Amino acid sequence: MDKNDLQVVFLTKKELREYLQSPQDHRTYPLPFSLNKAQWLLDKPGLDENDLLAVMAVSRGELLSFAHLVPDFLSSPNQDTGTKIYWIVQWWAAPSVKSTVVSTYVFSEALRLSNNMALTKAYEENADTFYKKQPFTVIGTMDRHTIFIGAAKDMVNQKLHLPKWLSPITSWVESISMKYYNAINSSRINTLTKDLDLRYMNQLDGEAWNFIQPYIQSDLAAKSLAQINWQLDPRQYVSKPWNHGKMDGSKIKGFAERIGIVNFLVYRNGKSIGFISFHYIHSTAYMKYCIANDADMPMVCACLYKNLYKLNISYMFTDNQTLAEHFTKTLSVFYHYRQTKKSMAHNTLHKELQVSQLAEQDGHFI
């Protein structure tokens, strides 16, 4: 880090648009998200020109730390008059500045520029000490469920610190284990799905919106058809099979060698009974929406399982307690791991959150 060249960038919608319109050789700093994510952010309904999207510390063209924010509105009868909030969806610092004040300064500036109307969802455990010193209050404690439908090779490699040359073996173990559990589950899945039809979509239509709307009335953040369609827009994800050494996937979101989103309605006898949306990277799925009543949830879980298996996805993350319970009770899985996560809001915002509850789809912008 060059202290004499340290630059703090405040990225608003206006600055982001100007950045994307400028020639690449005129850009003096990198973005904390891929260009397709950047264009997607500009299209968010209700986004104002001066809404803050990121605070970045940059030195000699290198990103040292950033806080990435996404503006939203609290649920209210009229979204236009609802309270504007800012999700801190990612806060990152390079190893070279973790022992300095740079990352703390970036975070403080993000709070100041968002008028302290900030909240964070399921922050990492290693940030617990930091948040205890800040004017933040816990607004929700939830279980983050990791459900394995096979022995995920990346988890095996990570936990056992295996050398790369063993990767073909762990890939084979993953494939065999998934086939084994699929064979165990096949009879149950066929029974649950025999009367079902699926309709895949990139965007919700009126029928899908009419089914979903009653289930999201108590969400903390306001939802509309336009908001959800923006949230599910596949343009935010770009497959990048080559040149992956040029960008750091640990901090720059929106690209991977295998990446996408799957959305579908589940029908039984011509009637909608469930809606599923999940985003996947490589062999990992991240649930965005799982909507169904309790009676229909086992059938919806069976449909979800079939989609995960067909895409060679070996495990998924979900904060949806109902989904996790039904999925693991209805079907056999390789492993089910739970981890407690906390969500926090700045004390300035906390008094506005008394009558709302945090849903899985709230603040989900990866």
Side-chain angles (χ1 to χ4, degrees), residues 109-214:
E109 286 297 278
L111 294 182
R112 181 180 68 83
L113 294 168
S114 63
N115 296 315
N116 293 327
M117 302 300 283
L119 64 167
T120 180
K121 181 180 180 183
Y123 66 87
E124 297 299 325
E125 290 180 353
N126 56 13
D128 190 58
T129 302
F130 172 81
Y131 278 105
K132 285 180 179 178
K133 299 177 182 179
Q134 303 298 315
F136 274 73
T137 300
V138 174
I139 60 171
T141 300
M142 69 210 77
D143 281 339
R144 169 69 51 81
H145 299 268
T146 311
I147 301 174
F148 294 84
I149 67 172
K153 62 181 180 182
D154 55 345
M155 285 294 185
V156 172
N157 292 335
Q158 178 183 336
K159 294 295 184 182
L160 300 181
H161 305 289
L162 297 177
K164 288 186 178 180
W165 61 269
L166 285 176
S167 181
I169 297 176
T170 54
S171 296
W172 178 81
V173 171
E174 178 184 73
S175 176
I176 293 299
S177 64
M178 289 182 65
K179 290 177 180 177
Y180 172 76
Y181 280 94
N182 185 60
I184 292 175
N185 288 317
S186 60
S187 176
R188 177 71 170 148
I189 288 174
N190 290 337
T191 299
L192 288 168
T193 61
K194 65 179 181 179
D195 297 325
L196 305 182
D197 294 304
L198 304 186
R199 178 162 69 90
Y200 296 90
M201 60 192 73
N202 283 334
Q203 298 278 268
L204 304 184
D205 56 14
E207 180 188 14
W209 169 245
N210 289 336
F211 173 73
I212 291 170
Q213 189 178 20

Side-chain angles (χ1 to χ4, degrees), residues 316-333:
M316 69 173 180
F317 291 102
T318 181
D319 296 337
N320 188 323
Q321 185 72 23
T322 303
L323 166 62
E325 289 178 356
H326 280 280
F327 196 98
T328 54
K329 287 180 180 178
T330 304
L331 303 164
S332 294
V333 299

Side-chain angles (χ1 to χ4, degrees), residues 36-293:
N36 52 297
K37 276 279 189 181
Q39 186 60 59
W40 170 73
L41 280 169
L42 288 181
D43 295 336
K44 187 182 190 302
L47 195 64
D48 294 332
E49 289 292 295
N50 294 320
D51 276 339
L52 184 68
L53 299 175
V55 178
M56 300 173 285
V58 181
S59 178
R60 297 188 181 276
E62 178 187 357
L63 197 59
L64 299 179
S65 181
F66 69 83
H68 172 27
L69 299 91
V70 177
D72 218 343
F73 290 90
L74 294 182
S75 291
S76 69
N78 184 351
Q79 183 175 321
D80 294 332
T81 61
T83 301
K84 180 170 285 188
I85 57 176
Y86 291 82
W87 298 96
I88 302 178
V89 296
Q90 197 176 3
W91 176 36
W92 177 88
S96 60
V97 300
K98 282 188 175 180
S99 59
T100 71
V101 299
V102 171
S103 62
T104 304
Y105 178 76
V106 164
F107 188 87
S108 298
E109 286 297 278
L111 294 182
R112 181 180 68 83
L113 294 168
S114 63
N115 296 315
N116 293 327
M117 302 300 283
L119 64 167
T120 180
K121 181 180 180 183
Y123 66 87
E124 297 299 325
E125 290 180 353
N126 56 13
D128 190 58
T129 302
F130 172 81
Y131 278 105
K132 285 180 179 178
K133 299 177 182 179
Q134 303 298 315
F136 274 73
T137 300
V138 174
I139 60 171
T141 300
M142 69 210 77
D143 281 339
R144 169 69 51 81
H145 299 268
T146 311
I147 301 174
F148 294 84
I149 67 172
K153 62 181 180 182
D154 55 345
M155 285 294 185
V156 172
N157 292 335
Q158 178 183 336
K159 294 295 184 182
L160 300 181
H161 305 289
L162 297 177
K164 288 186 178 180
W165 61 269
L166 285 176
S167 181
I169 297 176
T170 54
S171 296
W172 178 81
V173 171
E174 178 184 73
S175 176
I176 293 299
S177 64
M178 289 182 65
K179 290 177 180 177
Y180 172 76
Y181 280 94
N182 185 60
I184 292 175
N185 288 317
S186 60
S187 176
R188 177 71 170 148
I189 288 174
N190 290 337
T191 299
L192 288 168
T193 61
K194 65 179 181 179
D195 297 325
L196 305 182
D197 294 304
L198 304 186
R199 178 162 69 90
Y200 296 90
M201 60 192 73
N202 283 334
Q203 298 278 268
L204 304 184
D205 56 14
E207 180 188 14
W209 169 245
N210 289 336
F211 173 73
I212 291 170
Q213 189 178 20
Y215 290 91
I216 59 174
Q217 297 302 307
S218 61
D219 285 6
L220 183 143
K223 306 290 192 303
S224 65
L225 177 58
Q227 286 278 357
I228 296 180
N229 275 338
W230 171 79
Q231 191 181 10
L232 305 184
D233 194 332
R235 292 180 302 159
Q236 62 188 294
Y237 306 117
V238 170
S239 178
K240 191 176 72 68
W242 181 76
N243 205 28
H244 47 273
K246 294 292 185 181
M247 296 178 73
D248 184 357
S250 66
K251 67 175 185 290
I252 308 299
K253 304 300 183 183
F255 69 93
E257 293 179 41
R258 199 171 79 96
I259 191 170
I261 187 169
V262 176
N263 315 303
F264 58 86
L265 269 177
V266 181
Y267 292 88
R268 186 182 188 191
N269 299 324
K271 180 182 177 181
S272 303
I273 64 166
F275 175 72
I276 287 286
S277 175
F278 64 86
H279 155 52
Y280 65 90
I281 303 176
H282 303 301
S283 59
T284 311
Y286 302 86
M287 294 303 303
K288 286 181 180 279
Y289 286 83
C290 178
I291 291 176
N293 63 42

